[in-house]
Amino acid sequence: MSLHDNMMRLALTEAQKAAAKGEVPVGAVIAIGETVISAAHNLRESTGDPTAHAEVLAIREAAQKLGRRRLNDCTLYVTLEPCPMCAGAMVMACLGSCFFGAKDIKQGCAESVLSITQEPAFYHNIPCFGGLQEEACATLLNDFFRSKRTNQ
C-alpha cells in the first residue's frame, strides 16, 4: 500500500470518529512524508463552532506543533473535497499539496464547484488530487446521511 493510501486510511479513521459522535464524517491528516503532524475530524456539532471542520482543525494543530504558519512542506489528506472555507485556509497556510477522497459536487472548492486552491489571483496555489480511496470515503458519508434520514 502506498504512502498516500496509508495516510488516507488514517483520515478515514478520523472520519469514523466523527461519525461516532454524530458529526458529519470527515477526517483529515497532515503529514510531512511519512510523519503525521496532525489528525482531526469534524467537531462542528459538538463544539457549536461552524469553523470546526476537520481540515481547519488539522491545519491549526499542525501550525502549532511546527511553530509556523506556512505549511509548504506538508500534505493534507482529507476524506471529502474541501469546502470554500477550508480551501481558503489551505491557501492561507501555504500547504504543499492535498489529496482528497470523495468529491463534493455542491461545495467542493478544489475542483468540483470552484478551484480556490488553483486560483491564479492568489499568491499560493496547491496541487490537489481527488479520488484517493474515493469509494470508501463516499460510502462512509452516504451511510451516515442515509442513517440520519431513516432515523428522523
Side-chain angles (χ1 to χ4, degrees):
M1 190 167 278
S2 76
L3 167 66
H4 300 310
D5 285 318
N6 285 334
M7 291 300 172
M8 186 57 81
R9 280 189 22 230
L10 295 174
L12 276 161
T13 298
E14 287 295 319
Q16 291 163 345
K17 290 178 188 177
K21 295 176 182 176
E23 299 278 353
V24 174
V26 177
V29 169
I30 293 180
I32 299 175
E34 296 179 7
T35 304
V36 173
I37 306 303
S38 64
H41 53 273
N42 275 0
L43 291 174
R44 293 183 314 160
E45 302 303 323
S46 56
T47 63
D49 179 355
T51 69
H53 289 207
E55 302 95 319
V56 171
L57 297 173
I59 288 168
R60 287 177 186 162
E61 182 182 341
Q64 183 180 23
K65 281 185 177 177
L66 295 172
R68 54 189 163 92
R69 72 171 189 84
R70 286 190 173 92
L71 306 177
N72 56 315
D73 56 345
C74 296
T75 299
L76 169 69
Y77 298 89
V78 62
T79 57
L80 180 64
E81 182 178 358
C83 73
M85 176 185 67
C86 293
M90 292 162 54
V91 169
M92 297 308 292
C94 300
L95 275 168
S97 61
C98 171
F99 289 82
F100 65 88
K103 291 183 180 182
D104 185 344
I105 61 169
K106 294 185 179 185
Q107 296 187 98
C109 284
E111 67 180 42
S112 293
V113 178
L114 297 172
S115 294
I116 290 174
T117 57
Q118 300 299 306
E119 174 54 50
F122 297 150
Y123 64 90
H124 182 78
N125 292 153
I126 302 163
C128 290
F129 308 94
L132 183 62
Q133 296 187 25
E134 182 174 13
E135 187 175 331
C137 295
T139 297
L140 184 60
L141 285 157
N142 290 334
D143 289 350
F144 175 81
F145 287 113
R146 187 175 303 111
S147 73
K148 288 287 186 193
R149 286 190 296 274
T150 58
N151 291 331
Q152 289 182 0

